[in-house]
Amino acid sequence: MYNSTKAGLGALLTAGVVVAFYQTQIRRWILAERTTSGGTTVGSSGKPKKDDSDKRDKEKSKTDEDDKKEKKGIFSAIQGTFEQLIAEQTAKKDPKPIPEEDLRDKGIGVVQAYEEGRPNQRDASTDTQWLTFSDKLLAAKESILSIDWPKLTNLTNVFPDWATGLPEWVTKLQRELNMEPGSLADEIWSEAQDPTVNPEVGKDAHVRLGTDLCEDEQCFLASRKAFTKRGLAKYLDIPESEIHDDDVPIIATTGSGGGLRAMIAGTGYYQALTEAGLYNCTTYTAGVSGSCWLQALYLTSLGKCSFDRVMEHLKTRINVHIAYPPKALELVTSAPTNKYLLRGVVERLKTGYSSFSLVDLYGLLLGARLLVPSNELTLDDNDLKLSSQRRFLENGEQPLPLYTAVRHEIPFMDGENEKGEPISEELKEKASKQHESWFQWFEATPYELYCEELEAGIPTWAMGRRFENGVNVSREVPEMKLPLLFGIFGSAFCATLSHYYQEIRPFVTSVSLFLSLDKMVLDRNNDLSKVHPIDPCSIPNFVKGLKGSLPSTCPESLFETESIKLMDAGMSNNLACYPLLRPGRSIDILIAFDSSAEIQTANWIGYAEGYAKQRKIQGWPIAIGWPKGDKQAQQELEDAQAHSVKEAHEKLEAQREASEAEKEKPLSQRIEEREKKNALGYCTVWVGSKEERDSDDEPPPSKAVEDDWELMKPNAGITVVYFPLIPNEKVPGVDPEICPYLSTWNFEWTPEQIDQTVALAKANFQEGAEKLKRTVRAVYERKKKLRLEMEEKMIEMREKREEERHEENRRTHGIHDHFS
């Protein structure tokens, strides 16, 4: 666990350090060039600055005492950075709505300009977002060109070999995106408005209000029943003619977050589920982060509804780092892939509703690595739209995928209430103490983007449009493309500072220099939980202007804001249980494939209980998950603290020795020790209860199911089957807790590593395959028994009513016997 955390931290810190280092080197080269040409360096104020040569000489002759001072400076800098980030985020204001007249004047309403005629280059340059992007691209090019690249040939330790090709790539990208007639961007934007290419631009979209499932999903459920019934008959070896439609359990699966590890392990689990015959029995699949990427690939021309094909595709596409610039830039700047990959970027910038962000760039890189076939010569346009996945769901042939993201609601973050009036310090302090920030879940299917808390949704093909009062402002906006959605689904780097710190805390507390920093951060954890160093991705706010039509629980901040910021749902829960529990979906069995990091310390499956209570979901099992009580967790946390430098060194040394000793133990011994600690096994089953309670006392915790009869109780509720990704002696050498390549932050996998991870997931599934089959059979038999009992009661009630009717007729018509 400690090693996996260190691996994740290492990747995170390395990326940050490398970026900062490269930026510093570039600035130094530019500075040196200016100094050589002008003799003096001029600051922003126009006054000459002091020559830095004396300082550099002094740095070379630093004493040990200077080193100590520098360490103190590091701590001060880190502390200042935390405080600065908090202050910057607190001071952020939600941009005020721009009047429609201003939108037209500034050129943001590009669609309207197209209605009057094709805009020229001057029209494009007036688009605020496009102009900003173009300026940044030009600035990047000028900065790169200002470097004396020939000098870098002797500085391979500073700049990689591929860096010398940056000017050419940037020039190429700028040429394609300049919107001149005949440019790639001009072609993309012309096709974006063509109804034959994007049929959705010919339709108006409306916000659907209500708690029911959308009509398309209801039609899907009716069609899916025939397939799940057929699949269940084959899985349980029962003649299909003997199975009643109402007896077929509604089965759903959820994958976890965890980047490419979750995606690859999920492929193995779903391969095993398919081979067992149970995948054909499922109605829904849901995912978070990497599991969303898996679902999307499965329903493309690349996956063709085959997890075997998905795995083979991944072997050819992720053996190079996902963000390795040469490969990514080559795909983005070269035909034919550039046209497809840049569609979302051009359309997003030309509509002008949202700026191009780091999340968009990340999604673009993900799209380049995951959606491009191995030959890199063809790309199916249909693979770029979520709504196009309908073609695989016709007549209910495949389970319905649920994609997830969350919005972080932080009340009073701007220091104003909904009327724009300042919030009193007393009220802000009260809100801060009550931890009133929370996450709102958004789900996307090929049919609809929906938020249960807002009780509102829009057609999936309308994602990216602006809405006012429940109607789109303009229809001529193409659907938001899948690469950009990839970025949203997997944007774990948009976490709060609190999330970041929890990831790196084991490292911080192991260094005596940072012990004071640790205390400072923990004291301000409430503030850190409301700060996002990297802004989440923005989409137009589709509930703007619907204040009177939304639930009373809807935050005031959403009534007039122009955008909704969405991020990785793993910020709230790394398993997508919540959307599966939505009323109307009526899940009987939920199968969770958990490939999260540090599974035992983050009880994701257990966190769903809070949602079930809040939404009054009947039948969710109580107090399930990894059996670690609050007192035990608190004690472990206290044991991990160091209260002095000496104690920190002692604990660090002990931790290292324990980690090394753990590696030396045979896997069978590690598994046995884990079981002694009451850890869960390869497959654990819990079942909830629908029994009405007479008191307000908390019900007892749900125990893991040991006998099938527990699933047969008439008042049995939702059945949860949990498969964690843990070591298995049948796949030696693969341990998610200590294997570096199984880190969340690993983006480069060899085919052998993919095979090993898939083998581990399949081996773990096989450990619980028989238990899972007995579980499905028990739930089926329970539903069948309840149906038959209900039918018997209905027959008795009809016979009783018929008898009462005859008795009433005898009295009404005066029918008497011969003694009357």
Side-chain angles (χ1 to χ4, degrees), residues 135-416:
D135 287 345
K136 289 181 178 179
L137 193 61
L138 181 60
K141 178 185 174 183
E142 290 177 348
S143 295
I144 292 171
L145 290 177
S146 66
I147 301 172
D148 191 354
W149 291 98
K151 291 182 179 180
L152 301 185
T153 54
N154 297 324
L155 294 175
T156 54
N157 60 322
V158 177
F159 288 93
D161 294 336
W162 54 261
T164 56
L166 278 175
E168 182 183 352
W169 278 316
V170 174
T171 301
K172 226 174 148 183
L173 187 61
Q174 186 185 30
R175 184 170 60 247
E176 294 295 357
L177 295 179
N178 64 13
M179 280 304 293
E180 290 287 355
S183 68
L184 178 64
D186 178 60
E187 181 183 349
I188 290 174
W189 185 236
S190 298
E191 290 184 357
Q193 313 239 301
D194 186 350
T196 60
V197 179
N198 296 294
E200 66 270 19
V201 300
K203 300 183 290 184
D204 279 313
H206 300 265
V207 177
R208 186 183 70 85
L209 299 175
T211 58
D212 296 338
L213 302 178
C214 69
E215 185 177 344
D216 285 329
E217 183 172 341
Q218 294 182 40
C219 292
F220 164 82
L221 292 176
S223 301
R224 182 62 182 163
K225 279 185 178 180
F227 287 89
T228 55
K229 178 181 177 179
R230 190 178 310 141
L232 185 71
K234 187 175 182 180
Y235 180 64
L236 297 180
D237 195 20
I238 301 173
E240 186 178 347
S241 58
E242 296 181 9
I243 298 178
H244 192 281
D245 289 351
D246 295 342
D247 301 341
V248 179
I250 298 180
I251 303 174
T253 65
T254 175
S256 72
L260 291 181
R261 179 191 63 249
M263 185 181 190
I264 294 166
T267 303
Y269 277 122
Y270 280 116
Q271 275 184 317
L273 199 67
T274 303
E275 293 166 1
L278 188 55
Y279 188 76
N280 291 332
C281 306
T282 60
T283 301
Y284 293 100
T285 65
V288 172
S289 185
S291 296
C292 288
W293 306 339
L294 171 59
Q295 292 177 164
L297 269 186
Y298 177 78
L299 295 173
T300 62
S301 60
L302 297 168
K304 292 185 178 178
C305 301
S306 166
F307 291 107
D308 292 340
R309 289 179 63 96
V310 169
M311 187 178 74
E312 293 305 315
H313 171 70
L314 291 177
K315 287 181 179 180
T316 64
R317 299 303 298 159
I318 62 173
N319 52 3
V320 176
H321 197 285
I322 203 165
Y324 178 57
K327 198 62 181 174
L329 287 170
E330 182 182 340
L331 292 171
V332 170
T333 59
S334 303
T337 52
N338 57 350
K339 178 179 178 180
Y340 298 96
L341 293 173
L342 291 173
R343 279 195 193 280
V345 176
V346 172
E347 293 166 1
R348 186 168 172 82
L349 290 169
K350 285 300 294 176
T351 54
Y353 302 153
S354 304
S355 60
F356 188 76
S357 66
L358 181 60
V359 177
D360 296 313
L361 176 60
Y362 179 53
L364 186 62
L365 295 174
L366 283 168
R369 307 307 291 140
L370 298 180
L371 291 176
V372 176
S374 57
N375 58 21
E376 299 182 357
L377 297 177
T378 59
L379 192 62
D380 192 336
D381 226 351
N382 286 322
D383 292 342
L384 299 178
K385 293 182 181 180
L386 205 60
S387 65
S388 293
Q389 294 179 358
R390 289 167 173 249
R391 68 191 191 276
F392 296 107
L393 305 175
E394 291 179 359
N395 304 317
E397 295 177 4
Q398 294 291 331
L400 180 66
L402 302 178
Y403 303 89
T404 60
V406 294
R407 172 183 176 270
H408 197 184
E409 169 62 23
I410 309 175
F412 311 140
M413 192 63 191
D414 296 331
E416 297 178 352

Side-chain angles (χ1 to χ4, degrees), residues 97-109:
I98 303 174
E100 202 63 37
E101 293 78 8
D102 291 344
L103 293 179
R104 286 193 292 269
D105 293 342
K106 293 182 179 180
I108 298 180

Side-chain angles (χ1 to χ4, degrees), residues 568-579:
D568 192 322
M571 300 299 98
S572 174
N573 193 320
N574 225 28
L575 288 170
C577 301
Y578 304 156

Side-chain angles (χ1 to χ4, degrees), residues 657-764:
E657 292 176 359
S659 178
E660 292 301 322
E662 188 73 11
K663 292 180 183 179
E664 296 298 325
K665 294 178 183 177
L667 179 59
S668 58
Q669 182 181 346
R670 294 207 302 269
I671 294 174
E672 183 179 351
E673 290 176 355
R674 184 182 289 114
E675 290 175 350
K676 288 181 179 179
K677 292 180 182 178
N678 294 323
L680 301 181
Y682 298 107
C683 175
T684 306
V685 179
W686 298 279
V687 62
S689 174
K690 295 181 180 179
E691 186 176 9
E692 296 289 339
R693 290 187 286 128
D694 297 330
S695 67
D696 294 332
D697 296 337
E698 285 291 322
S702 300
K703 296 181 180 179
V705 173
E706 296 180 358
D707 297 305
D708 296 345
W709 64 266
E710 298 178 61
L711 298 166
M712 299 287 290
K713 294 179 180 179
N715 58 3
I718 299 172
T719 300
V720 177
V721 186
Y722 182 66
F723 286 91
L725 189 68
I726 56 179
N728 191 312
E729 57 186 359
K730 295 179 180 177
V731 188
V734 184
D735 189 337
E737 292 188 5
I738 61 177
C739 287
Y741 70 85
L742 283 166
S743 164
T744 302
W745 305 101
N746 177 37
F747 285 93
E748 185 177 353
W749 291 67
T750 66
E752 293 75 19
Q753 291 168 347
I754 293 176
D755 284 335
Q756 290 174 336
T757 305
V758 167
L760 177 63
K762 295 177 79 169
N764 285 1

Side-chain angles (χ1 to χ4, degrees), residues 452-464:
E452 184 180 4
E453 186 174 333
L454 304 180
E455 297 180 4
I458 58 172
T460 300
W461 47 261
M463 284 193 297

